[in-house]
Amino acid sequence: MNADIAMYTESIGHFPSMSRKSPAIKSSGLTKAEDTVIARLKRGDEGAFDELVNQHHSALVRMAMGYVADREVAEEVVQDTWMAVIEGLNRFEGRSSLRTWICGILIHKAKDRGVREKRHTTFSAFESYEDDNEEAVDPSRFQQSGELAGHWAFPPQPWDDRTPEKLLVSQQAVNAMQRAIEALPSTLKEVLILRDVEGVDAKDVCEMLKITETNLYVRLHRARERVRAAVETAIG
Amino acid sequence: MTDCSSQCAHSGLTCRDLTERVSEYLDDNISILTKVRIGLHLASCTHCRTYVQQIDLVSSALSCLPNLYPPPMNRLRLQQQFATRYSN
């Protein structure tokens, strides 16, 4: 196992030397349900481990694909992550949620793998996203001048009677969403996967990615808008 | 074309301003004043209501995307490793 990973602490997803600088360690980040799962895992309950893998594997693969070029490599990164989880479980003290700890390991391994393979220089989806001032919605969709400047010129058309379930029944919409997620730069993809796909609390996402809440919402909204725009094109 | 009436302008927000704050608004992570201004704007702007609904819908749908599972051989190796590590 990578020595760096062995040193990785679950407390706040940072390395020990960095964690001292941050006081934001929860005294107990675990819910009662998580306590039960961890107890079952530490007892060697294979069913509990299978459930854990089923619960988090999708999000881990989707997140890994922000850093590496294809699904196959992403699966390898996630496999390494699960191996590290197995190895580190006995040292997990529950100062963050189990999910936060697992995602922290994944992000570290995926970044490491992406850099080692130098994929980030050739992988088109790995565009850097540094400009938090860029607007989420295409500015040309708004009136540019006059009394109504800044109001819709080309507004979104309603998606009739859509619910999440109905949207997901449309293969066109699902494909558009998946393609849009895959095409996101990693900085947008990681916040979208953690917050919307995995349902991680906004504060925990900030802690894991070491970003401010302002950064989080700027990136999250840009990511959501890109996915919305893809669905709009597909079904609009 | 927009249907924003003068009430839209009273909110102090243009549609363009509002679209930048939608995710914070949906997460209820926004000051009361901004929340009131957004509410006032939404009350009179059907296009922005549509936009907010679509962002909310996409965000909700993302949590229900089809699951991905590990390839069978990978899962088997994980199960073996787990059993070896935690066998009593």
Side-chain angles (χ1 to χ4, degrees):
Chain A
M1 190 195 307
N2 184 326
D4 288 343
I5 288 294
M7 289 174 65
Y8 196 89
T9 61
E10 86 278 9
S11 58
I12 53 171
H14 296 165
F15 289 91
S17 60
M18 296 172 71
S19 68
R20 283 194 293 274
K21 294 177 187 170
S22 171
I25 299 172
K26 295 177 193 170
S27 56
S28 173
L30 297 184
T31 62
K32 199 174 174 186
E34 279 185 312
D35 264 337
T36 307
V37 170
I38 290 160
R40 287 175 64 199
L41 290 167
K42 288 184 177 178
R43 281 200 308 269
D45 183 333
E46 292 175 30
F49 182 70
D50 253 359
E51 286 168 26
L52 188 73
V53 171
N54 289 342
Q55 189 182 351
H56 298 295
H57 194 80
S58 305
L60 295 180
V61 170
R62 289 189 171 111
M63 212 150 54
M65 287 181 69
Y67 300 95
V68 298
D70 58 47
R71 171 79 188 270
E72 195 180 337
V73 180
E75 286 286 356
E76 286 174 24
V77 170
V78 175
Q79 181 80 354
D80 284 351
T81 300
W82 285 124
M83 287 293 186
V85 167
I86 292 170
E87 286 304 310
L89 198 55
N90 269 336
R91 295 192 299 277
F92 178 70
E93 293 171 0
R95 283 178 288 172
S96 67
S97 74
L98 189 57
R99 177 171 58 188
T100 301
W101 178 58
I102 295 170
C103 288
I105 295 173
L106 180 278
I107 289 169
H108 180 82
K109 282 186 171 292
K111 281 183 177 172
D112 185 53
R113 180 68 178 261
V115 168
R116 273 194 290 123
E117 297 203 335
K118 296 185 175 23
R119 297 278 195 191
H120 62 295
T121 57
T122 55
F123 181 26
S124 62
F126 206 102
E127 68 184 85
S128 70
Y129 183 83
E130 302 298 336
D131 186 5
D132 280 349
N133 293 319
E134 181 194 317
E135 290 181 50
V137 180
D138 178 357
S140 69
R141 294 188 67 160
F142 300 101
Q143 305 276 357
Q144 301 300 310
S145 59
E147 210 175 292
L148 292 175
H151 294 277
W152 290 104
F154 303 100
Q157 297 306 307
W159 301 338
D160 295 332
D161 299 326
R162 293 284 179 178
T163 62
E165 292 74 23
K166 283 183 183 167
L167 191 64
L168 290 166
V169 166
S170 159
Q171 197 55 45
Q172 249 184 322
V174 171
N175 289 344
M177 287 170 81
Q178 289 186 326
R179 277 198 302 271
I181 294 171
E182 282 170 23
L184 289 173
S186 61
T187 45
L188 300 190
K189 187 181 296 186
E190 61 194 9
V191 295
L192 188 76
I193 299 291
L194 288 169
R195 184 76 190 95
D196 284 352
V197 180
E198 262 294 77
V200 178
D201 184 73
K203 283 192 168 51
D204 287 343
V205 176
C206 292
E207 197 174 282
M208 287 162 65
L209 301 177
K210 299 169 213 157
I211 57 175
T212 64
E213 267 196 6
T214 304
N215 288 143
L216 167 71
Y217 281 107
V218 165
R219 292 175 190 185
L220 181 61
H221 190 58
R222 273 141 193 71
R224 285 174 175 172
E225 166 56 22
R226 290 193 191 190
V227 177
R228 187 206 68 82
V231 175
E232 180 178 58
T233 304
I235 67 171
Chain B
M1 291 299 293
T2 177
D3 72 341
C4 266
S5 66
S6 57
Q7 203 179 340
C8 245
H10 290 155
S11 71
L13 288 176
T14 63
C15 303
R16 193 170 177 172
D17 297 330
L18 186 142
T19 56
E20 290 297 311
R21 312 300 298 271
V22 170
S23 286
E24 290 160 281
Y25 176 73
L26 290 172
D27 265 16
D28 204 14
N29 194 320
I30 205 161
S31 73
I32 300 233
L33 179 62
T34 309
K35 196 171 169 180
V36 168
R37 291 167 72 194
I38 290 176
L40 191 59
H41 184 107
L42 290 176
S44 60
C45 182
T46 56
H47 300 324
C48 282
R49 283 203 299 277
T50 299
Y51 182 78
V52 172
Q53 283 163 1
Q54 289 180 355
I55 290 287
D56 192 26
L57 185 62
V58 163
S59 172
S60 304
L62 285 169
S63 66
C64 314
L65 280 176
N67 278 334
L68 306 173
Y69 295 104
M73 278 310 292
N74 284 9
R75 187 187 285 273
L76 186 64
R77 285 193 195 103
L78 290 176
Q79 287 166 338
Q80 287 170 342
Q81 183 69 14
F82 182 80
T84 305
R85 190 77 175 74
Y86 293 94
S87 62
N88 295 315

